[in-house]
Amino acid sequence: MQGRCACGQVTFAVIDARPTATFCHCSQCRRFSGHYWAATRADLTNVTFIAEDTLSWYRSSDHASRGFCSHCGSSLFYQPDGADHLGIAVGCLDQPTGFTPGKHIFTADAGD
Ligand SMILES: [Zn+2]
Ligand SMILES: [Zn+2]
């Protein structure tokens, strides 16, 4: 399947992504995405960038970075340091994904 940011200057293909969406309610995800973060994940070796000129990385904590498009502002990726997988916002994937809802995490930090 393919995914892209709103403007298309970050476009990628992914295979074997986990077919569920995980919903993260932590404060970092809420601020980064504007709501809770809904993401799948895939092995880094299964993600191929077709366009990435405007892909930028924000250092969101001492153990992870978040990828976004510096042109249109779309929040796209979550990358824990040293991990062999990439978190991918399900909203940027082309429809239909066929994914199903997965677990909600960090719900104690959920916005009111
Ligand atoms: Zn963009
Ligand atoms: Zn989170």
Side-chain angles (χ1 to χ4, degrees):
M1 60 178 44
Q2 287 198 9
R4 65 174 178 84
C5 64
C7 77
Q9 291 185 57
V10 179
T11 300
F12 59 94
V14 57
I15 56 173
D16 290 336
R18 185 170 59 191
T20 56
T22 298
F23 307 99
C24 184
H25 296 260
C26 82
S27 60
Q28 291 178 9
C29 283
R30 279 191 285 115
R31 291 188 187 278
F32 180 68
S33 69
H35 197 236
Y36 53 80
W37 173 243
T40 181
R41 66 192 273 176
D43 289 347
L44 279 176
T45 52
N46 286 335
V47 180
T48 304
F49 284 94
I50 297 161
E52 57 181 323
D53 286 353
T54 59
L55 177 59
S56 294
W57 292 92
Y58 165 63
R59 188 80 182 146
S60 58
S61 72
D62 61 3
H63 59 268
S65 297
R66 293 167 188 264
F68 64 99
C69 175
S70 62
H71 181 70
C72 68
S74 299
S75 47
L76 301 168
F77 304 117
Y78 177 76
Q79 175 68 79
D81 290 352
D84 60 359
H85 61 267
L86 185 67
I88 302 170
V90 291
C92 69
L93 295 171
D94 291 347
Q95 297 289 299
T97 65
F99 290 177
T100 54
K103 58 190 173 186
H104 289 255
I105 61 175
F106 290 100
T107 52
D109 296 335
D112 61 2

